[in-house]
Structures are given as structure tokens and as C-alpha cells.
Amino acid sequence: MKKIAVIGAGPAGIEASYILASNNFEVTLFEKSSSPLSNILDKAYLFPDFSSATELADKLSAKLLQKNIQVVLDKEIVDIKKDGDIYKLIDKEEKSHIADAVLIATGYTIFDAHRKEEYGYGIYKGVVTSLDLEKMIRHKQIFNSIGDIPSRITFLQCVGSRDEKSGNNYCSKVCCVTAVKQAIEVRKALPDAEIYIFYMDLRMWGQGFEELYREAQEKYDIRFVRGRISEASATFDGKVQIKSEDTLIGQPLKMNTDLLVLMAGMEPSQGTKTIGKNCHIGGEYQFISSQGAHIQDNLTTMEGIYVAGTAKRPMSIRDTLTDADSAAVQIMMDLGEKL
Amino acid sequence: MAVNFGYSISTTRVINFDNCDFNLLHQLEEIVPSYKRCLNCGACTATCSAQQFTKFNIRKIKSLFTSAQYDKLAKELDKCMLCGKCTLVCPRGINLRPAIMNMRKILSNK
Ligand SMILES: Cc1cc2nc3c(=O)[nH]c(=O)nc-3n(C[C@H](O)[C@H](O)[C@H](O)COP(=O)(O)OP(=O)(O)OC[C@H]3O[C@@H](n4cnc5c(N)ncnc54)[C@H](O)[C@@H]3O)c2cc1C
Ligand code: SF4
Ligand code: SF4
Ligand code: SF4
């Protein structure tokens, strides 16, 4: 039986492991944390259908019960070396693990909003990230900086994405619809709050996204302002003052808000960056680069090493799972096992 | 002889791209290529010091310049103090100060 090593137990790594193991490959799945799916379990409900993140995590975790999958937790892989037809995965403790092929599924990490100092994350209490808000939604506790129910909540798109100053010119793809999703959740929790979304462009590319945007306007009374917030500052009463331009009117705008939610983008995880660098398969922005934009999108430039999911570029869970399926098929074809 | 009815035909508000002179824009874009990358987000206007006290709107001036609507822009641009705050916030990394200086220069040579 051929041995495949999969790095990263996120949706991509789990899905591909499951397909490969179901087709008579022996899979070892390495995960650096003490449990899988950390980037799913930090969310409450998922776009586009508000389904529960925990339920999805349970369904994905159940796939790991498949025979032929061995999950190795607390194991961080830092390098891969080719030795003839064999691949040696090197972990942080410098031990090596052998495989016939390797799939990199080391995923993403959320942009560190401290880096956009002008928005005051970590300085003003009223400034939070989308991930912080996700936690508040999960615990059903949405409070402002002084522990009161917020009367105005403002979202800002494209924090750390589409921003040359952060070094990230790309679009993170998930934050536009996440802001709309979260705004609706906030509306359900706080029927009387004013809710604003400041955007540069609204990218409603997926099935059902545009409809969610319409609903947000009509049914949930979310206000959309086209302009990028240039900076935030604190007020004496614990609020956050923001400055922007209403670009459609062509006039500067300022307002106070109880909470400013920064829609932080996606960056390659540390694991993605390290492996990309050590194996010389990292590309722009340190995501792993694939061979082709259309076909061969699961092949890296190193033979026998494959890539799936957000280790490659920002994508949604559905796209990640589809990509993982396609990576598994590619590995099966290349290693000569029949589907 | 024309009869004066007491009113006249108002000049059209339509920007006619067929009659616009884009030469000045092209001159500017050659000197400051990053100028082309603007996505009209308005962060420059939001942060601008001059905007606080006058009707000055640097993003709008850029848009007008880009659509070859140069009338009155020279006078407007005089309100800029060249402080450079706009350059600091621009997500597209546009070199705004030299863009403004060269807009002034190009308009004065017009
Ligand atoms: C704010 C936010 C909200 C989102 N909400 C949604 C949503 O509602 N719906 C939706 O469809 N998508 C959503 N997404 C996107 C979703 O999180 C991703 O599509 C998905 O998690 C990608 O899965 P992945 O397997 O590619 O990567 P990840 O989920 O990042 O998994 C990678 C795994 O690899 C592990 N790892 C990393 N490095 C190493 C290493 N060196 N060795 C071993 N293991 C390693 C990590 O610990 C992790 O477990 C959201 C994203 C953000 C930022
Ligand atoms: S998805 Fe939306 S918020 Fe996120 S980077 Fe792209 S345009 Fe900006
Ligand atoms: S901040 Fe930059 S991109 Fe935004 S409107 Fe101003 S010049 Fe254009
Ligand atoms: S350089 Fe001019 S346009 Fe830019 S912020 Fe300063 S005053 Fe405003």
C-alpha cells in the first residue's frame, strides 16, 4: 500500500485524507495543534447558510475514523526532502517521517490587525476584529468597550487585504460576505442597533451571496457606505470615532461608533510560509504556488508534492473541499492506483 | 433676427468623452505611473488636512482630472498643503504628493 503524508488537519487535509484512505492508500495526517479544525471551530455560524461551524467540524472529524488514516497531533512539519522516490518530512524536533507523496494543506492565518495601527486595534477597546466578533456571537454577548449593549456597530472591509501598505495586494475573498453575514447576526441579536458596513467594493461572488446582500439591506436594515475608513480614534466616552469619505456623494464623513469591526483578511499560515520557503515552492505573498491556473492547480513545482486549500490562496470552505477532492484524485492518478 | 424669449439653452451637463482632451492626463500618468491605480476609495480625502476647513476633495479632483474635466482644478489644487497624509493612507500605494505637484504644473502650462 502506498503511503501518503498529509500536512494540516483543516478541511482540506481531512477531506483529502478521507478520499485517499477510502481508496487504499495509507494516510498519515500531521497536525501541529493538539486538535484538528482550529480555523473552523473559531467560528460560530458559517456563510452562506448560517449552518453551525461545530456541526461541520463534527462531520469532518467523523471522516478521520476511516481505516488507513493515522492522525498525528502536536506535530509541526517544517521541511520536506526528496530522497530517490521517497519523501522525508522533517518535523520541528528534526525527526523524519517517510512517504511516497506529500499533500500540503497547511492553510491560512488571519491577518494581524495590530499591523494597521491607524485603526487602533489593541489600543482602543471598541475596535475588534471579525474573529473577536465571531466569539461574541458564539457566546451571545455583544458588548461595547464599557460593557453596554452597543447602539451602533460599524464594519470595515479590506483590512490587511487589497492594501499595499500591508504588503497584501490580493483580495481575501471571504470577508465581504462574512461582514454581511455578521451584520445580519448582529441585527438578530440587537434589533435596535444601527449597523454600517464601509466598503471599497462588495464582492458577492458565490451562490447566494448577492441575495444575502439584498436581504441585509431590505430585511435587516444594514447601511452600506462606499468609502474606506482612513483612521480611528477614541472618544472620552469609550466610543470610537472614524473618518471616511462617502465617495458616492463626494463628501468627507465622520461618526462615532460603539464597536468598529475590522474585517481582517487571510494570510498564509506560518506552516505554509515555512514549508514554502524551505522547499522553494512558495510564491507571491508566501502562499504555496501551483503549476497552473486552470489545470495542474494541485501540483507544486516539486514532483510528488501536492497542495490543496488555503495554503494556496484564500478560498471558502466549499471551494477548499472541492480543491482537496481534486488533489486526492490527482495523487491517485499519479501514483497509479485505480479510482 | 433672433427673438429673445428671456431664457437660453443651458450648456449640457453630459461629459462627452469624444471631445475630451486626455493629453494632460496622459502627461501626468507618464510622470506618476502609480496614479493609474486609484480605486476611488476616498481614504485620502478622509484623512486630508485641507478637507477639514475647505470644500477641497482630493479624490474628487483626481476623478475630475482622470475624466479630463480640468476647469477650476488649478485653483482647487492651491488648497493642498502638500502635507502627504493622503499618501500614507492610500491602499494602492499611490504617490499622491508628486501627483498633485505635477497636476499643478501641467495645468499651469495648459
Ligand atoms: C473571518 C473568517 C471567517 C470565515 N468564515 C467562513 C464561512 O462562514 N464559510 C466558509 O465557507 N468559509 C469561511 N472562512 C474560510 C475558511 O476558514 C477556510 O476556507 C478553511 O478554513 C480553509 O481550510 P484549509 O484546510 O485550507 O486551512 P485551515 O483551516 O487553515 O487548516 C490548516 C491546518 O493546518 C495546520 N497546520 C499549519 N501548519 C502546519 C504545519 N507546519 N504542520 C502541521 N500542521 C500544520 C493548522 O493547524 C490547521 O489545522 C472564513 C475565514 C475567515 C478568515
Ligand atoms: S472579500 Fe471583500 S473585504 Fe475581503 S478583501 Fe475582498 S473586497 Fe476586501
Ligand atoms: S486613497 Fe489612494 S486609492 Fe483611495 S481614492 Fe485616494 S488615491 Fe485613490
Ligand atoms: S498632501 Fe494635500 S491632498 Fe494630501 S492630505 Fe495633505 S493637504 Fe490633503
Side-chain angles (χ1 to χ4, degrees), chain A residues 7-13 30-33 37-40 43 45-47 75-77 105-108 110 130-131 174 178 266 269 271 275 309-310 315-318 320:
Chain A
I7 314 172
F30 297 96
E31 167 56 48
K32 80 164 207 266
S33 315
L37 295 166
S38 53
N39 273 344
I40 297 300
K43 279 136 208 140
Y45 305 100
L46 302 168
F47 70 74
K75 188 60 77 188
E76 184 176 344
I77 304 297
T106 42
Y108 76 95
I110 194 155
S130 42
L131 215 52
V174 296
T178 297
M266 290 165 101
S269 71
I275 295 173
T310 52
M315 49 178 107
S316 66
I317 298 169
R318 175 158 52 191
T320 297

Side-chain angles (χ1 to χ4, degrees), chain A residues 14-286:
Chain A
I14 293 176
E15 175 74 6
S17 297
Y18 173 73
I19 305 272
L20 289 165
S22 313
N23 285 280
N24 294 318
F25 285 88
E26 199 183 317
V27 178
T28 313
L29 174 57
F30 297 96
E31 167 56 48
K32 80 164 207 266
S33 315
S34 51
S35 58
L37 295 166
S38 53
N39 273 344
I40 297 300
L41 290 166
D42 59 4
K43 279 136 208 140
Y45 305 100
L46 302 168
F47 70 74
D49 61 348
F50 296 92
S51 55
S52 146
T54 341
E55 268 172 39
L56 174 72
D58 287 346
K59 281 181 193 157
L60 285 170
S61 297
K63 297 195 176 199
L64 293 175
L65 301 174
Q66 176 77 3
K67 71 173 172 47
N68 298 342
I69 302 182
Q70 193 204 346
V71 184
V72 184
L73 298 172
D74 296 308
K75 188 60 77 188
E76 184 176 344
I77 304 297
V78 294
D79 198 1
I80 309 160
K81 299 240 187 302
K82 193 171 180 332
D83 188 0
D85 284 341
I86 298 285
Y87 295 87
K88 278 189 187 160
L89 286 78
I90 318 289
D91 65 26
K92 220 179 167 188
E93 292 77 38
E94 295 180 21
K95 288 208 194 78
S96 60
H97 311 263
I98 304 288
D100 296 305
V102 185
L103 175 65
I104 300 172
T106 42
Y108 76 95
T109 189
I110 194 155
F111 174 82
D112 177 10
H114 291 98
R115 277 166 57 195
K116 292 297 287 177
E117 231 181 293
E118 61 268 43
Y119 299 136
Y121 182 62
I123 304 170
Y124 315 131
K125 272 194 184 158
V127 182
V128 300
T129 64
S130 42
L131 215 52
D132 299 330
L133 181 66
E134 203 63 34
K135 207 180 286 167
M136 295 186 200
I137 291 169
R138 191 166 63 233
H139 296 135
K140 300 194 163 48
Q141 293 183 328
I142 307 173
F143 293 123
N144 66 8
S145 68
I146 48 170
D148 283 345
I149 306 235
S151 53
R152 187 183 274 168
I153 295 175
T154 307
F155 292 83
L156 172 62
Q157 308 289 66
C158 303
V159 175
S161 323
R162 307 181 67 200
D163 178 26
E164 193 169 295
K165 301 282 152 55
S166 318
N168 297 334
N169 288 340
Y170 59 88
C171 161
S172 285
K173 249 188 126 174
V174 296
C175 12
C176 270
V177 62
T178 297
V180 170
K181 180 210 75 161
Q182 290 189 332
I184 292 175
E185 290 171 328
V186 170
R187 164 64 70 234
K188 285 178 183 163
L190 308 173
D192 299 322
E194 278 179 50
I195 305 172
Y196 288 93
I197 297 182
F198 281 72
Y199 68 96
M200 303 204 288
D201 296 285
L202 281 173
R203 301 200 157 154
M204 297 298 163
W205 49 274
Q207 188 175 31
F209 294 7
E210 182 67 19
E211 287 85 342
L212 211 58
Y213 174 21
R214 285 170 57 126
E215 247 185 64
Q217 294 176 289
E218 196 176 354
K219 188 166 163 202
Y220 296 104
D221 210 15
I222 317 284
R223 307 279 158 181
F224 290 83
V225 183
R226 196 204 174 270
R228 182 179 177 86
I229 294 173
S230 66
E231 63 231 61
S233 50
T235 64
F236 288 118
D237 52 353
K239 292 183 192 233
V240 181
Q241 186 177 76
I242 54 148
K243 281 189 190 175
S244 182
E245 185 198 353
D246 184 329
T247 57
L248 299 180
I249 306 181
Q251 231 161 286
L253 173 165
K254 69 174 182 187
M255 74 177 196
N256 290 344
T257 181
D258 291 291
L259 276 183
L260 174 63
V261 186
L262 305 177
M263 300 309 295
M266 290 165 101
E267 286 194 325
S269 71
Q270 190 52 52
T272 300
K273 289 198 256 186
T274 307
I275 295 173
K277 185 165 164 256
N278 289 339
C279 299
H280 307 288
I281 51 174
E284 233 186 336
Y285 312 113
Q286 295 178 282

Side-chain angles (χ1 to χ4, degrees), chain B residues 28 31-32 65 97-107:
Chain B
L28 179 66
I31 310 167
V32 189
F65 200 95
R97 257 190 335 174
I100 294 165
M101 299 235 291
N102 282 291
M103 270 194 253
R104 282 181 181 169
K105 214 184 268 174
I106 290 167
L107 288 168

Side-chain angles (χ1 to χ4, degrees), chain B residues 77-105:
Chain B
L77 278 165
D78 278 344
K79 295 177 188 161
C80 167
M81 301 170 278
L82 293 172
C83 69
K85 271 180 83 186
C86 49
T87 308
L88 291 177
V89 297
C90 176
R92 282 283 172 96
I94 292 164
N95 225 346
L96 268 156
R97 257 190 335 174
I100 294 165
M101 299 235 291
N102 282 291
M103 270 194 253
R104 282 181 181 169
K105 214 184 268 174

